[in-house]
């Protein structure tokens, strides 16, 4: 959990919250779920239901609706800027 990792790694630990709408997550995992309702049932599991509570603790929130290459660019940019103090 966040607090365990934060304690273990101290100031060097940074959480990046990857944000995606339920519909987009379902499309990515369609092969694992026969219906959207089955996906929503899995998404409401107690562990999954707690994910949104991590967003306020994140050093950055990155939307994931774009291509995988776009996500990599955003992550690479964030990692590169973190060393310069430009923490967005």
């Amino acid at each position: 959990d966040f607090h365990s990792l934060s304690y273990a790694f101290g100031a060097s630990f940074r959480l990046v919250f990857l944000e995606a709408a339920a519909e987009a997550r379902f499309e990515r995992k369609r092969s694992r779920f026969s219906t959207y309702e089955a996906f929503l049932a899995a998404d409401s599991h107690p562990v999954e239901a707690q994910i949104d509570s991590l967003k306020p603790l994140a050093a950055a929130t990155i939307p994931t609706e774009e291509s995988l290459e776009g996500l990599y660019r955003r992550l690479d940019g964030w990692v590169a800027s973190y060393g310069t103090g430009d923490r967005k």
Side-chain angles (χ1 to χ4, degrees), residues 12-84:
S12 64
F13 175 72
R14 300 290 182 268
L15 174 69
V16 176
F17 190 89
L18 301 177
E19 188 170 49
E23 295 83 11
R25 294 193 323 274
F26 170 67
E27 288 301 322
R28 291 181 190 139
K29 296 181 179 185
R30 188 174 276 252
S31 65
R32 292 176 53 193
F33 299 98
S34 57
T35 64
Y36 185 64
E37 290 73 24
F39 167 77
L40 289 177
D43 201 45
S44 66
H45 184 277
V47 172
E48 298 294 325
Q50 297 299 315
I51 290 175
D52 285 339
S53 69
L54 296 171
K55 187 175 180 180
L57 304 172
T61 298
I62 298 176
T64 63
E65 273 77 23
E66 58 189 290
S67 69
L68 192 55
E69 292 79 18
L71 173 61
Y72 289 157
R73 271 194 307 278
R74 283 181 174 261
L75 285 170
D76 288 345
W78 182 82
V79 169
S81 71
Y82 210 86
T84 65

